[in-house]
Amino acid sequence: MSNVICHICQINLALKQYDGVLLDEDGNKPCLECVIEDAESNEEEDEQ
């Protein structure tokens, strides 16, 4: 199961070991860039 593409951006290789909440209904995993982007957007929402 190598070379899995990120289900969010469809560009980068997805993380192979990820226990976060960014899994879609099929259990697909995001890449590191999408994880970071999601974390940053969550921080902005928390500040408001």
Side-chain angles (χ1 to χ4, degrees):
M1 190 166 167
S2 60
N3 297 334
V4 177
I5 300 299
C6 173
H7 72 97
I8 298 172
C9 67
Q10 302 293 316
I11 299 170
N12 300 312
L13 293 179
L15 298 175
K16 294 178 178 66
Q17 307 261 327
Y18 181 68
D19 296 324
V21 295
L22 288 178
L23 302 178
D24 70 2
E25 300 82 35
D26 297 326
N28 296 318
K29 300 173 183 176
C31 64
L32 181 59
E33 288 81 2
C34 289
V35 171
I36 292 171
E37 184 177 314
D38 183 71
E40 289 174 351
S41 67
N42 286 342
E43 287 177 8
E44 291 174 3
E45 290 175 6
D46 291 343
E47 290 175 1
Q48 294 176 356

